[in-house]
Amino acid sequence: MTLTATLLPGLSKRRYGSMFSTVGWAAVVVALTVVLLSVLAPFIAPYDPNYVDLENVLSGPSLAHWLGTDAMGRDLLSRLMFGGRTSLVGPLIVVVASTIFGLLLGLAAGWSDGWISALLSRIFDLVFAFPALLLSMLAIALFGKGLVAPIIAMTISYIPYVARLTQQLVISERSRPYVQAYRVLGFRTSWVVLGRVLPNLVPTVGAQSTLNFGYVLADLAALSFIGLGIQPPTSDWGAMIEEARGALLSGSLMPALLPALVVVLIVVSINVIGEELSDRIGGNLS
Amino acid sequence: MSKLLEIEQFSMAFPGRGNLLSDVSLHVDDGEAVALVGESGSGKSLTTRAALGLFPETSRLSGSVKVSGLDTTTASGTKLLELRRNRASMIFQDPRAGINPVRTVGDFVTETLVRWRGLSRQEAEAQAVAQLEQVGLRRAKEMMRQYPHQLSGGMLQRVMIAAALLDSPELLLCDEPTTALDVTTQAGIVTLLREQQQARGMGMLFITHDLNLAGSLCDRVYVLRKGEVVEHGGSRQVFTSPQADYTRQLIAATPSIDIDKVPAVPVQDDQSPLLRVEGLCRRYTLPGGEILNALNNASFTLAKGGSLGVVGESGSGKSTLARMIVALETPDAGELEVSGRPRAHRALKAGERKLLAKDVQIVFQDPYLSLDPRIPVGKAVADVFRLHQGQTRSAALQSARELLDRVGIGPERFESKPRALSGGQRQRVAIAKALAARPKLLVLDEATSALDVSVQAQVLELVEELRDQLGLTILFVTHDLAVVSRLCSELLVLRDGVIVEQGSTAQILGAPASEYTRTLINSRPQLLWQDQPV
C-alpha cells in the first residue's frame, strides 16, 4: 500500500496493461517537466539567472517576470530553471554511483558465505548508523564547501541502501532452481552472478534508487540551505531558499516559497514513481 | 432426497477474458458425495467457491447457484454469512495457508463456536476436543494448546476438517484437500472424509484433478474442462464407459501400476556402473542442535542405460540424494562415483563442476521456477551448447533449434520467454537444457509432479523416447509409484533417509518385501467398486 493509494484510492489504481496509475502518470509528467525545463534552461530561460536588476527588486509576478524577482532583482523563473541544473545533477551522480557500488558490494555480500559476507554486512550497518547529512557535513569540514565533498559523502551513505537490498535479493535468488540449474550445467559462478542474476535484480534495485533520488535531492538542498553546499551566486534551489530568508521577513513570500515548492514537487513525484515501480515489480516477481 | 446444491446454467465471465465458466449445471443431493474433476484452469475452484457466494471482483454472472434453495448469486451479505456459518463448510488444499500461525489450534477450532454459537469457552473446548478425537487425532487435549507449526500437514488437515465439521454443515466443499499430502496421509484423510460424510449424511462436493481419487470417494462424477461440464454420471459408469473424448484421454493419462508394462531390467555390465553409491550419508544440524539424518548409509549402483526409480514420501531423503548426485549438496560420508570419478567431500571447483555437468544433469520439479525468467528459451539452450560443445553463437542457436524441436518446442516458440509457455512446455525446455550438455545420466527430481495428468503423460512419453533413442540412464525421484512403474526397471524405496527396499520394479511392486512398501502400494486410491464382483 503506497501513500498515494491511501490518500487517493480512486486515482491510484493501475489499469490493466498500464505502467502507472493516474497519480503515477501525473508524477511522471511533473518530473519530466522539471527535468526538461532545467536541461533546456540556457535556451529557454527568459533572463540570465545572475543578472542583477536593482530597480526591480522583489517585484511580484508580471508579464516581464512571470514569477517575479528576488531581493537582487534576479528573475525567479530563470533562477529556478538554472537552479534545477545544479540541484538535479548532484542527486543524479549520487544515485548512479551508489547504485553501481551498492550492486557490486551487495552481490559480493549475498553470494559469498562466511567472513566476507559478515564483514560487508557489519560495514553496511556501520554506515547506516551515520545520517547522510552528518557524514556530508563531516566531509565538508574536512574538504571544504562545494558540491564534490557532499556528493562523495552522500554516495557512501546511500551505498548500504542499495547493497542491503541487493544482498537480500541475491540470497533469495541463489536458492532458486533456475540458478541451481546454471550451477549443475557447469556455468562459472562469475558468469551466473554477473550475466544472469544481476540483470534480474536491476528492476527492483532501480526502483529503490529512484526513491533514493528524492531523498538525496532533499538532503543536498538542505546542505545548500545551511550554506554548506552550492555557493552563491550559482543558483540552486536550497541556496535560493536560504538567500530569500531576508525577503521572507520583509513580507515577500515568492522567492522562498517557489524553490521550496519545486523541491517538494520533484521529491513527491520521484517518490510516487519509485513506489509505483517497486509495487509493480514486487507484484511481477512474486 | 432434496437437492442440497443445485447449480443451473451458471456462467461467469470477465471483461476482456471471456467466459471462465459456461453453462455449468450440477447438483449434489443430501447425503451424496460428488466429485468435480478437472485439470488446472478448468474452473473447478471457481465453481465451488460460487456455492459459498465467493465471486471474484468484476466477474459477470448468469444462471443460478442454489444451496438449500438460497441463490448465492443474488443473496444478501447477511444471508451468505448465515449460509457459510451454518450450512456449508469448505476445506482447502493447503491447511497451513488457512490457519493463523500465531494462534493455537484450540483458538482456531473454538473460534466460531464461541463467537457465533454463543457457547462458553469450556463448552466450546469440550466440543472441539470431542471433534478432534472423532477425526482421528490422538492427544486432542494437548493439541488444543499447540501451534500449527508443531503439527504435520496431515494432522493439520484433520484439524481443518474437524473445524469444518463443528459447524455441522449440510454441505461440505473440499478443494483438493489431499493434493499437498503424502500418499499414505492422503489415504487416511480420504477414509475419514468418507466415514464422516456417510455418518452425518452430509452432501459433499470433492474437487480433484485425480480421477482415481474421485473414484475412490464419490458416487457421482462431473468432468470439467475449460469451464464446461463435458461429462457426468455415476463414477463407475464414467470410468468404465466414458462418453467424452476428454474423459477418455484423462483416464488414459492417469498413471496406474501395471506390472506387465514395467520396462525390463537391461543386461547389467557390473564392471563399470555409471553411478555407484556406497554408504552415502548427509546430515543436517537443525536449529537447536538436533541432528537430522537426511540420508543414512545409502548404497546402490545404476548401470549405464538403466533406469532407477527412487520413491519416498516427503522427508524421505530422496531429493537430498538427487541433489548430492548433481553436486548441489556435499556428502558428509560415504562414496559417490559418477562415471568412475569419486566425488570429493567438499564443494566442487568450477572445472570439476563443468566436467560433472557432462556426466549428469537434473530436471527440477517446478518448471515455473527452474527457468531464468528473463532469457528466451532458445538462447537458454544455446548457452549450454556454447559452454559444453564449444559451438559458435550461430551454430549453438541452430543446435538449440533442433534440440527444442526434438522435445516438442516448435521454432515459433524459440524467442519466447518462459512466462509465455505452459507448464508442460517449460518442462520440455528444462529437459532440452539438460540434454544440451549431452549427459549420460539424467536425474528427474519429481519432474512431472507439478504438471496436469495429461501433460504429465506427454512429458513421461518424451522421457521414455529420449531414454530409448539416446541411451540415457535415468534416475527418477518421485512420490508416485505409478509413474516409476512405467518408466523405471529398477526401484529403490526410501523412508526417513534409509533405503527400505531395492530391486527390480516388477518384483517389488508384485511382491513387496517390506511392510512400508506394501503400505505405499495400498495407500493408492482404490476405486469404490474395485473389490466388488462385476
Side-chain angles (χ1 to χ4, degrees):
Chain A
M1 188 66 125
T2 60
L3 184 65
T4 50
T6 325
L7 295 177
L8 305 161
L11 293 177
S12 55
K13 269 201 183 136
R14 186 161 61 88
R15 283 183 39 195
Y16 186 76
S18 175
M19 183 95 174
F20 296 107
S21 70
T22 314
V23 174
W25 281 117
V28 171
V29 170
V30 169
L32 273 182
T33 311
V34 172
V35 169
L36 273 180
L37 285 179
S38 307
V39 169
L40 299 177
F43 309 105
I44 57 173
Y47 295 90
D48 179 338
N50 296 326
Y51 174 71
V52 177
D53 179 3
L54 291 174
E55 291 178 10
N56 238 331
V57 294
L58 293 175
S59 77
S62 64
L63 271 181
H65 299 279
W66 288 4
L67 298 178
T69 56
D70 69 2
M72 294 166 82
R74 296 176 294 194
D75 180 56
L76 274 175
L77 178 60
S78 306
R79 280 189 75 72
L80 278 178
M81 287 163 81
F82 275 92
R85 295 166 72 83
T86 44
S87 298
L88 293 172
V89 162
L92 187 71
I93 297 173
V94 171
V95 162
V96 169
S98 65
T99 304
I100 292 171
F101 287 113
L103 269 173
L104 293 177
L105 288 171
L107 278 175
W111 205 273
S112 60
D113 302 303
W115 67 271
I116 299 180
S117 166
L119 180 71
L120 285 173
S121 298
R122 293 297 81 76
I123 293 177
F124 298 156
D125 288 342
L126 201 72
V127 179
F128 260 129
F130 284 95
L133 267 179
L134 200 66
L135 209 63
S136 304
M137 286 190 230
L138 194 71
I140 290 164
L142 287 174
F143 304 109
K145 295 174 182 177
L147 210 49
V148 180
I151 280 181
I152 293 172
M154 288 273 172
T155 302
I156 292 172
S157 341
Y158 277 90
I159 283 175
Y161 288 90
V162 179
R164 191 40 71 75
L165 176 69
T166 309
Q167 183 185 13
Q168 281 158 3
L169 290 171
V170 168
I171 287 171
S172 82
E173 209 72 1
R174 66 185 274 197
S175 64
R176 281 176 191 249
Y178 86 88
V179 176
Q180 299 190 338
Y182 280 131
R183 288 181 68 78
V184 175
L185 282 164
F187 287 102
R188 299 189 73 86
T189 308
S190 53
W191 183 88
V192 176
V193 177
L194 296 176
R196 287 296 178 263
V197 176
L198 178 63
N200 289 347
L201 309 183
V202 163
T204 317
V205 174
Q208 170 72 44
S209 292
T210 311
L211 282 174
N212 286 351
F213 186 92
Y215 303 137
V216 176
L217 192 142
D219 279 355
L220 285 178
L223 277 180
S224 297
F225 174 73
I226 55 178
L228 296 175
I230 301 285
Q231 295 304 304
T234 313
S235 55
D236 172 274
W237 296 335
M240 282 173 75
I241 303 174
E242 200 273 330
E243 288 164 20
R245 275 193 309 169
L248 207 54
L249 292 176
S250 61
S252 292
L253 271 180
M254 294 296 259
L257 192 63
L258 283 172
L261 205 64
V262 174
V263 170
V264 170
L265 262 182
I266 189 91
V267 170
V268 169
S269 302
I270 295 280
N271 278 2
V272 167
I273 296 170
E275 275 190 2
E276 292 211 1
L277 279 180
S278 62
D279 267 13
R280 184 178 153 73
I281 292 153
N284 277 359
L285 288 183
S286 59
Chain B
M1 275 191 283
S2 66
K3 289 195 172 32
L4 184 58
L5 169 67
E6 188 167 27
I7 298 180
E8 272 182 351
Q9 306 268 301
F10 180 58
S11 299
M12 184 187 286
F14 281 94
R17 287 180 62 192
N19 273 5
L20 293 189
L21 294 174
S22 345
D23 285 337
V24 172
S25 294
L26 64 85
H27 67 93
V28 179
D29 294 337
D30 270 337
E32 196 188 23
V34 176
L36 189 56
V37 179
E39 299 188 289
S40 45
S42 62
K44 49 193 197 299
S45 289
L46 284 176
T47 309
T48 318
R49 269 146 229 248
L52 290 178
L54 299 167
F55 306 106
E57 261 182 80
T58 73
S59 59
R60 277 201 301 264
L61 314 170
S62 67
S64 69
V65 180
K66 288 190 182 135
V67 183
S68 306
L70 176 77
D71 191 342
T72 63
T73 58
T74 53
S76 67
T78 41
K79 282 263 199 252
L80 284 176
L81 274 184
E82 199 271 331
L83 165 76
R84 289 175 205 154
R85 272 177 211 160
N86 298 325
R87 282 192 270 153
S89 290
M90 187 153 178
I91 47 180
F92 297 92
Q93 175 171 348
D94 185 357
R96 257 176 235 290
I99 190 166
N100 186 342
V102 301
R103 308 286 300 272
T104 61
V105 169
D107 285 339
F108 172 73
V109 190
T110 55
E111 190 174 23
T112 55
L113 293 178
V114 174
R115 290 193 61 177
W116 309 126
R117 304 219 187 287
L119 268 61
S120 72
R121 200 141 255 296
Q122 284 77 16
E123 286 168 332
E125 271 176 22
Q127 273 198 24
V129 169
Q131 186 64 64
L132 288 175
E133 277 166 356
Q134 204 184 19
V135 298
L137 291 167
R138 281 166 291 156
R139 302 187 303 103
K141 264 210 172 78
E142 289 81 26
M143 195 173 283
M144 295 282 283
R145 270 180 290 283
Q146 285 185 304
Y147 287 89
H149 71 266
Q150 296 171 299
L151 307 187
S152 70
M155 286 158 101
L156 215 51
Q157 193 60 288
R158 282 174 193 263
V159 170
M160 300 305 274
I161 293 172
L165 293 177
L166 271 175
D167 293 336
S168 341
E170 296 151 26
L171 177 65
L172 186 64
L173 304 161
C174 307
D175 190 352
E176 303 242 16
T178 61
T179 306
L181 304 176
D182 277 327
V183 58
T184 52
T185 321
Q186 163 172 297
I189 297 283
V190 167
T191 312
L192 168 70
L193 283 172
R194 180 89 190 152
E195 278 169 12
Q196 291 291 329
Q197 182 255 328
Q198 287 182 340
R200 292 164 177 261
M202 276 186 307
M204 179 161 82
L205 184 64
F206 190 90
I207 303 186
T208 178
H209 64 279
D210 185 344
L211 260 180
N212 282 331
L213 192 59
S216 75
L217 186 63
C218 297
D219 319 305
R220 285 195 302 120
V221 177
Y222 288 86
V223 180
L224 203 61
R225 186 197 189 199
K226 293 183 180 161
E228 285 178 61
V229 174
V230 294
E231 179 153 13
H232 71 275
S235 299
R236 186 169 190 175
Q237 176 211 330
V238 169
F239 263 85
T240 47
S241 52
Q243 300 301 309
D245 285 341
Y246 177 67
T247 317
R248 270 195 286 274
Q249 285 167 24
L250 214 54
I251 291 174
T254 303
S256 59
I257 297 182
D258 190 343
I259 295 176
D260 299 332
K261 288 192 183 154
V262 170
V265 180
V267 184
Q268 299 262 351
D269 172 19
D270 264 340
Q271 260 86 51
S272 59
L274 182 61
L275 173 67
R276 194 177 71 83
V277 170
E278 187 77 50
L280 195 64
C281 295
R282 178 78 176 115
R283 285 182 286 271
Y284 296 108
T285 310
L286 301 178
E290 208 183 325
I291 287 182
L292 172 78
N293 282 309
L295 194 69
N296 205 356
N297 208 14
S299 303
F300 65 91
T301 59
L302 177 55
K304 196 168 182 330
S307 48
L308 173 67
V310 175
V311 178
E313 298 189 291
S314 46
S316 64
K318 57 187 193 300
S319 284
T320 305
L321 174 63
R323 293 170 62 82
M324 275 199 283
I325 293 172
V326 298
L328 283 172
E329 299 262 354
T330 308
D332 288 318
E335 295 165 41
L336 172 63
E337 265 181 37
V338 183
S339 285
R341 265 193 293 276
R343 176 74 50 83
H345 289 195
R346 54 165 170 78
L348 297 191
K349 298 190 176 103
E352 293 170 320
R353 277 199 290 120
K354 193 173 166 187
L355 205 60
L356 180 69
K358 288 179 187 288
D359 280 330
V360 50
Q361 278 305 314
I362 189 167
V363 178
F364 292 103
Q365 172 171 3
D366 192 341
Y368 291 86
L369 300 176
S370 58
L371 297 175
D372 192 330
R374 205 177 42 86
I375 307 294
V377 298
K379 184 168 163 32
V381 176
D383 277 341
V384 185
F385 275 112
R386 288 181 68 188
L387 177 73
H388 283 288
Q389 320 305 343
Q391 294 178 341
T392 59
R393 185 183 295 267
S394 59
L397 284 172
Q398 186 52 34
S399 303
R401 218 177 283 275
E402 285 162 18
L403 182 58
L404 280 170
D405 202 48
R406 172 87 178 271
V407 300
I409 302 291
E412 73 282 357
R413 291 266 172 237
F414 198 69
E415 301 287 340
S416 303
K417 301 223 172 138
R419 68 164 174 272
L421 303 182
S422 69
Q425 288 172 326
R426 290 179 205 212
Q427 206 58 311
R428 285 168 191 271
V429 173
I431 291 173
K433 240 175 89 186
L435 291 181
R438 305 221 178 108
K440 303 183 185 85
L441 171 64
L442 185 63
V443 177
L444 299 141
D445 186 0
E446 295 272 18
T448 59
S449 315
L451 305 175
D452 276 328
V453 271
S454 55
V455 180
Q456 161 170 292
Q458 292 158 12
V459 171
L460 286 176
E461 210 163 283
L462 172 68
V463 173
E464 237 171 347
E465 212 180 283
L466 293 168
R467 178 193 63 190
D468 297 343
Q469 288 173 5
L470 305 176
L472 269 181
T473 309
I474 302 279
L475 190 134
F476 202 118
V477 173
T478 180
H479 67 284
D480 190 341
L481 275 170
V483 167
V484 240
S485 77
R486 165 168 171 186
L487 204 66
C488 300
S489 56
E490 290 163 276
L491 197 58
L492 190 152
V493 183
L494 271 175
R495 185 191 194 184
D496 297 336
V498 180
I499 298 179
V500 293
E501 188 158 4
Q502 54 185 312
S504 87
T505 307
Q507 186 205 329
I508 291 182
L509 293 181
S514 88
E515 187 59 41
Y516 178 67
T517 314
R518 257 196 298 281
T519 315
L520 269 189
I521 296 173
N522 293 336
S523 299
R524 294 180 47 76
Q526 305 284 315
L527 299 176
L528 283 174
W529 56 90
Q530 218 159 39
D531 297 321
Q532 300 157 7
V534 179

